[in-house]
Structure formats: C-alpha cells, structure tokens
Amino acid sequence: MADAEAPRDILFDRARARIAGLNRHFIAGHWQAQQGGAPIPVLNPADERQIGEIAAGTAHEVDAAVSAARAAFDHPGWRAMPAARREQLLLHLADLIERQADEIAAMETLDNGMPFAHARGAVAGAVSAIRYNAGWVRRLGGETVPVSVPGDWHGYTTRDPLGVAALIVPWNAPFAITCSKVSAALAAGCTVVLKPAELAPMTGLRLAELVAEAGFPDGSVNVVTGLGSVAGAALVAHPDVDKISFTGSTATGQGILRASIADLRRVSLELGGKSAVLVMEDADLRKAVPGVAMGIFGNSGQVCAAGSRLFVADAIYEPFMTALLDFARGLRVGPGIAEGVVMGPLISAQQRDRVLGYIEAGKREGATLALGGDCPDGPGYFVNPTIFVDARPEMSIVREEIFGPVLSVMRFGDADLDALARAANDSVYGLSAYVWTRDLAAAHGLAKRLRAGSVKVNGAGMEFALPFGGFRQSGLGRENGRYGVEAFTETKAVMIAY
C-alpha cells in the first residue's frame, strides 16, 4: 500500500516498526551493532514512552566511519565518478524519499514530536533540497582569468571537494537539515560522516537505508549515533576530518571552533538566534497576526530563526495584541499524531524545564504574562503558547535564546528607521529578522539596516536557493543555495605556460 493510501493508524504502526529496527551504526556500507556499553533509549516527547534505542558510538566507531569515508573519497569509484552519475544518484535518492515521504514524516513525528502536517512539509522540503543540490553537481566550475604576467599563460580556477565532511545535525528539524547537509556535501564531491542528534536520530538512520538503496558507493555516507559529548566530540577532534558542518547551540559551536584551530579545518556553524520582528503601523494585520504567531509558535518555538522579540507600533498596538492573543489561544497543543494539532511538545524534559525557567525569570524581572506560561495536564513535554508584554531590552527573556514558545513584546512610537534598527540589532545574535509593512521605503530601508543573515518582509518563508546563516554569534558561513554547496569545496588556482 502506498503511503498516500495508508490510513493514519497503519502509517504510524509502520513508522514504529521501522524505528524499532534502527539501532545500529552505518559504516562503510554495512550496519554495525553496539560494541559494548549500554544503548541510548529514544523517547517520544509527546507521551514520554520509549520508541527505540540507538547504539552509543565512541571514538572507535567514529574512527572506523572516518576511515571509511576517507577510503571512499580516495577511491576512483567516487573520486573519478562522472558528475552526471553523482547527480543521478542524488536524484534517485530524492525519488526514494518521496515514495516513502509519509512514513518518514510519521517517524519524524514520533521521534521529534512535531505535528504530522509539519513533518510532511519538512520531508517535502528535504526532497526539494536534494534535487536542488543535485543540480549543482555539473555546474560547480571555476573561471578563466586573464593573466598579466609576462609570457603566454592560461590561468583558471577549479572548485575541489574538501574531502571528508563531518555533519552534526540538531533535533529540531532533523530530517530536513540532514538531507540539506548530506546532499550539499555529496554534490560538492565530499564523502560524509553524519552524527544525528541523540534526541531525534531515527530519520537520519532511515536516510542511511535509502542511501544504500539508491546505490551510493560504500563509505560515501556513514552514520554514527551516540552522545554529542562522546561521539560528536570524537568526530570533531578526528584529524582526518577536512570539514565540519554543525547546526545547533552557540555554546557548542564555539567549542567546535576552538577544536578546529590546531589544524585550521574548515568549519560552517549555523547557531542560535533571537530574531526581531517589526510590525509597522501600516502592516496588514490579517496577515501579520498569524505570521507573527506562527513565527514563534511553529515547531513549538524550537526554531533557530524564530521571531521571539516583537516590536509593535504604538498606533496599532491594542488591536494587534488583541488579535494576536486571540489567535494564540486558538492554537491546539497536543501530540503530533493527532489531527488538527498545531503545536507539539518540546523535545525533552530538560528543554521543557529550561523554557519554564525562562518564563519564571520573565515574571521576576517584571514582564507581564499575557498568555500561557504553563503546561497542559498529562504526559509529554508540552508548554502552552506564552506571550509576555511590557518586556524590556535588559530582560533575560529578551536577550537570551529560549528555544521554546515564548514571545516577548515591546512597543515603539518613533518610526525612525535608524532608531528602530538599533533596537532590533541590540543582540549578540543576528540570524533572521522580520518586517511587516506596506511601505516599500520602510521595507528596503530596514532590510539595509538590520544586522541579520536574512530579512523577511511580510512573511516568514525562505527560498532554499538563497543562502542561510547569521551575523555575530549566530554562526559562520552560509548553508543552502549555491553557497551551501560551495562551502564543501576549496578554490584552486592553476597557471599553465604554453
């Protein structure tokens, strides 16, 4: 039965059965079981029940995976593979994922907690990302450069793959981010060692199954599961890794950067954010209200680019906040497998408690709790949509990344773009910013002034072909688009006398 025809309960039963069988590492084209020690349980954050377990990788498994990736990179089967063949393999992988899309989405819902509709969209985005990156395989050329030195010379550049790429992915959008990173690295000609997040690792292991089915050479993609402090640290420290691509917290990214200094390995870091949202007095409230709400409550606020600092013009503050609070009250919170759910759980008890701690801090620091701040009854790591008003720039809920469904609201009376941009830029982060206005001058003026890697006007979507990354402590480098593929290459200059 095709996924599209499968009843919901059968689909989730299939996903549970698939998850139960994914408990080994994938190294050099083979599945390898736990080597000593206890496996790591994997819980469904919506009901706190164990759905599976993963092997607890150590430096031993990491070394085997990196060695396999190095051997595959040096092997003519990969190194000399025609670009058209590599493109074909990636496109075949995208087709295989598309055929299993609903089952993969169900796995993501059980593993991560996100609503099933959200997971389906994420898998569709992953398929699109792979196909996009596949299109760069035959287009990653250099350029011919006019040469001015004496003599007859031909000067040109090439883009060479860096080598073995260590990819460390987070738990908030595991499958989409994994597919983006893996396909970009493979499109550039690198081989891969993937370390999924231990809190949501299952779709990364499912991807390994599909990579093998697609026909990629053994060792070109390897997956080692385990704790970040053990397997992740061993991968970052491995001397035969040429490139590290990490998405996660700023603190962990800083540690990775320090570990890369000794041998100057190439590093891309997509880190935290505390994104500003500016609602001007001429904004279309019919669009701005749901846009602002889902910009912080989508995926339960577990989004690095979540719009968590809201600035609203005095002239529309009262009607806007009334509509925003009404909208947020109507959001259904519950298990992602249930119909109509908009907000699922947070990923873990630790993350829920962290978010609740920030909510308490907001109260202590003098912000007014306008909505939420509590948890629904019953099992699961849920936190209701939470909105603070009367927030001030020095408060921890305004300055620090919470990574949960908590919105801090401030108001402004002066529409001077310089002053407004200064307030929005008052952060150690600079990942995204959002502007709601019908004034093109204000839109372009703020886009120019805002210190963020991406600025969205009158919406929250982002085209995959555009680069994604941040200023300041939001990271280094860019992912997605041509920039994301080129990040796995090194530029070589060639001069030939004739």
Side-chain angles (χ1 to χ4, degrees):
M1 180 178 289
D3 275 358
E5 301 169 352
R8 201 178 181 94
D9 56 346
I10 294 176
L11 180 64
F12 278 95
D13 285 344
R14 288 207 320 244
R16 291 185 184 93
R18 180 77 69 178
I19 286 171
L22 292 172
N23 55 5
R24 295 171 292 170
H25 309 291
F26 184 70
I27 300 173
H30 305 284
W31 292 96
Q32 299 188 13
Q34 175 91 30
Q35 299 293 316
I40 300 170
V42 179
L43 306 182
N44 179 348
D47 59 18
E48 305 177 42
R49 295 177 180 174
Q50 183 170 336
I51 55 173
E53 61 183 27
I54 55 171
T58 66
H60 174 75
E61 287 79 21
V62 167
D63 183 64
V66 173
S67 297
R70 174 61 60 194
F73 180 74
D74 292 336
H75 193 279
W78 180 256
R79 198 65 179 271
M81 180 183 288
R85 173 58 180 158
R86 196 148 30 95
E87 178 188 38
Q88 184 183 48
L89 287 172
L90 284 166
L91 292 174
H92 186 31
L93 175 62
D95 291 343
L96 292 174
I97 293 170
E98 192 168 52
R99 291 172 200 160
Q100 300 293 321
D102 278 2
E103 182 185 293
I104 294 170
M107 291 175 65
E108 194 87 319
T109 293
L110 294 171
D111 196 18
N112 161 279
M114 67 176 65
F116 182 57
H118 184 130
R120 290 182 76 177
V123 175
V127 170
S128 179
I130 295 171
R131 288 176 175 154
Y132 175 89
N133 285 335
W136 279 108
V137 175
R138 291 198 274 178
R139 293 170 176 81
L140 277 180
E143 60 179 346
T144 301
V145 179
V147 177
S148 299
V149 299
D152 293 322
W153 293 89
H154 176 53
Y156 63 95
T157 65
T158 63
R159 284 233 171 234
D160 291 5
L162 280 166
V164 175
L167 312 179
I168 303 176
V169 301
W171 43 257
N172 62 322
F175 192 70
I177 294 175
T178 294
C179 288
S180 173
K181 287 183 186 288
V182 169
S183 60
L186 296 175
C190 293
T191 55
V192 165
V193 180
L194 169 68
K195 196 302 199 169
E198 59 266 30
L199 292 175
M202 293 305 182
T203 53
L205 291 165
R206 178 66 178 123
L207 180 65
E209 291 184 321
L210 296 174
V211 162
E213 185 178 345
F216 282 85
D218 292 348
S220 55
V221 176
N222 307 271
V223 182
V224 176
T225 57
L227 298 175
S229 59
V230 180
L235 184 56
V236 167
H238 200 288
D240 215 19
V241 166
D242 301 293
K243 162 80 179 186
I244 302 167
S245 177
F246 170 78
T247 298
S249 73
T250 294
T252 302
Q254 289 168 332
I256 289 172
L257 190 59
R258 284 191 293 269
S260 71
I261 290 173
D263 49 13
L264 297 178
R265 270 172 296 169
R266 303 300 184 257
V267 176
S268 294
L269 302 173
E270 196 274 283
L271 306 176
K274 194 68 181 177
S275 299
V277 185
L278 311 177
V279 181
M280 311 298 281
E281 66 177 79
D282 66 335
D284 183 343
L285 299 194
R286 294 171 301 172
K287 296 179 180 178
V289 167
V292 169
M294 295 315 298
I296 182 62
F297 301 131
N299 207 23
S300 301
Q302 300 173 123
V303 180
C304 54
S308 54
R309 292 185 297 140
L310 175 61
F311 299 83
V312 183
D314 274 337
I316 59 165
Y317 183 84
E318 297 301 335
F320 179 87
M321 289 305 302
T322 298
L324 180 65
L325 289 166
D326 286 345
F327 185 93
R329 289 188 191 99
L331 296 177
R332 184 179 174 190
V333 179
I337 65 173
E339 297 276 5
V341 164
V342 178
M343 274 183 56
L346 300 182
I347 191 66
S348 66
Q350 181 182 14
Q351 182 64 15
R352 177 198 58 197
D353 294 346
R354 181 177 186 272
V355 171
L356 292 175
Y358 272 106
I359 292 171
E360 290 305 310
K363 296 176 186 177
R364 287 195 307 271
E365 293 171 0
T368 302
L369 183 63
L371 181 70
D374 57 350
C375 304
D377 294 331
Y381 310 125
F382 297 95
V383 174
N384 286 319
T386 298
I387 298 176
F388 280 103
V389 297
D390 305 321
R392 298 189 305 276
E394 69 273 14
M395 292 179 173
S396 59
I397 56 171
V398 175
R399 303 211 67 79
E400 299 175 25
E401 184 179 40
I402 299 174
F403 223 62
V406 181
L407 179 65
S408 300
V409 185
M410 293 160 279
R411 55 199 297 171
F412 65 91
D414 186 356
D416 174 74
L417 300 188
D418 288 323
L420 191 52
R422 278 196 299 272
N425 292 336
D426 183 17
S427 172
V428 298
Y429 299 106
L431 188 57
S432 291
Y434 305 86
V435 178
W436 293 87
T437 182
R438 288 184 261 204
D439 183 342
L440 281 177
H444 285 291
L446 286 168
K448 181 179 180 180
R449 291 168 172 82
L450 290 168
R451 296 278 294 162
S454 61
V455 178
K456 293 101 168 180
V457 179
N458 296 330
M462 180 53 71
E463 164 60 42
F464 184 80
L466 290 170
F468 182 71
F471 289 17
R472 292 170 289 187
Q473 291 187 29
S474 287
L476 295 174
R478 293 294 182 268
E479 296 190 324
N480 301 351
R482 176 177 182 171
Y483 302 85
V485 178
E486 289 181 344
F488 290 95
T489 68
E490 197 78 271
T491 301
K492 179 188 292 180
V494 181
M495 289 271 286
I496 300 176
Y498 63 92

